[in-house]
């Protein structure tokens, strides 16, 4: 079993829709949770960073962490064509801060 | 604001050749990480430096791979006797401390002919 599971299936949504992404994990030591956005041939760009359980909102983006269920989510409201990218969840236990990533979700927002 | 810089952006080489990549982290970041990403996968951890000390290496880092960070600033990743399976995007990231997020460069894409 991989440490982080993220269903990589491509997701196509119409412009303005809510995009919902999620990851599950198996390592209960994880306490830092991140979402990165990656455009083609570019490096991952940090979107959201949360510590422990709870919600965090930043503009159109909301990240949720449920440590009891080992489940994290990212919601994108009012999606725009510029949101079309691959979204990667990542997490770490602190210490050396090695990141464990999911496979990524390719999101396409159709104008 | 200068982010993490990686050079070259793309390297094409023949199987069996040696290659070296460079990473310049964000200036005040003392932690530096190397990851490898293959098509359709998330990045996988390779190694980690705190200042000039290499503190952890993944099992993915075979003895053909070596990384250095001689003065605690930039880092180099060398691959000796490259193999087809080394074709990937090599990403560098840096952070200020354990509880601060990692910021990535745009990577070096390695293609083995």
């Amino acid at each position: 079993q991989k440490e982080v599971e993220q269903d990589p299936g491509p997701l196509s949504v119409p412009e303005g829709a809510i995009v919902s992404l999620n990851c599950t994990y198996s390592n209960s030591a994880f306490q830092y949770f991140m979402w990165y956005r990656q455009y083609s041939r570019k490096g991952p760009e940090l979107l959201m960073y949360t510590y422990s359980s709870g919600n965090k909102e930043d503009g159109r983006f909301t990240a949720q962490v449920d440590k009891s269920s080992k489940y994290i989510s990212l919601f994108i409201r009012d999606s725009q064509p510029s949101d079309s990218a691959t979204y990667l969840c990542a997490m770490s236990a602190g210490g050396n801060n090695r990141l464990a990533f999911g496979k990524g979700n390719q999101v396409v927002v159709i104008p | 604001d200068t982010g993490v810089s990686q050079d070259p952006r793309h390297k094409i080489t023949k199987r069996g050749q040696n290659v070296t990549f460079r990473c310049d982290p964000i200036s005040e970041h003392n932690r530096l990480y190397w990851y490898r990403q293959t098509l359709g996968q998330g990045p996988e951890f390779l190694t980690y430096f705190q200042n000039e000390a290499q503190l952890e290496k993944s099992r993915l880092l075979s003895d053909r791979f070596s990384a250095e960070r001689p003065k605690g600033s930039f880092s180099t990743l060398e691959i000796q006797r490259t193999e087809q399976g080394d074709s990937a995007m090599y990403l560098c990231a840096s952070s200020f401390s354990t509880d601060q997020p990692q910021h990535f460069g745009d990577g070096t894409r390695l293609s083995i002919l």
Side-chain angles (χ1 to χ4, degrees), chain A residues 2 32 36 38 41-44 46 49 88 94-99 101-103, chain B residues 9 31 33 35 37 41-43 45 48 56 98-102 104-106 109:
Chain A
K2 294 197 71 165
Y32 298 93
Y36 286 87
Q38 187 173 28
R41 300 188 180 277
K42 293 286 209 175
L46 181 70
Y49 179 69
L88 295 155
N96 65 12
N97 217 21
R98 170 187 70 87
L99 292 180
F101 281 87
K103 282 188 173 183
Chain B
R9 290 295 314 279
R31 292 164 186 250
Y33 304 81
Y35 293 83
Q37 186 177 25
Q41 303 294 318
F45 171 79
Y48 152 64
E56 186 171 345
T98 298
D99 60 352
Q100 294 298 310
Q102 293 176 33
F104 284 80
D106 280 336
R109 182 175 300 277

Side-chain angles (χ1 to χ4, degrees), chain B residues 27-97:
Chain B
S27 59
E28 65 268 25
H29 287 185
N30 58 22
R31 292 164 186 250
L32 187 147
Y33 304 81
W34 286 97
Y35 293 83
R36 182 172 69 188
Q37 186 177 25
T38 54
L39 198 62
Q41 303 294 318
E44 294 177 295
F45 171 79
L46 292 178
T47 190
Y48 152 64
F49 289 85
Q50 184 170 333
N51 298 312
E52 67 275 11
Q54 187 174 17
L55 297 185
E56 186 171 345
K57 293 193 291 185
S58 161
R59 291 177 288 110
L60 295 175
L61 213 66
S62 76
D63 56 6
R64 295 185 298 106
F65 288 69
S66 62
E68 293 183 343
R69 194 182 182 196
K71 296 182 180 178
S73 57
F74 74 91
S75 176
T76 57
L77 177 68
E78 180 183 14
I79 308 174
Q80 296 182 326
R81 305 180 303 280
T82 52
E83 301 174 355
Q84 288 286 349
D86 296 332
S87 294
M89 171 86 91
Y90 290 84
L91 293 162
C92 177
S94 70
S95 72
F96 182 70
S97 63

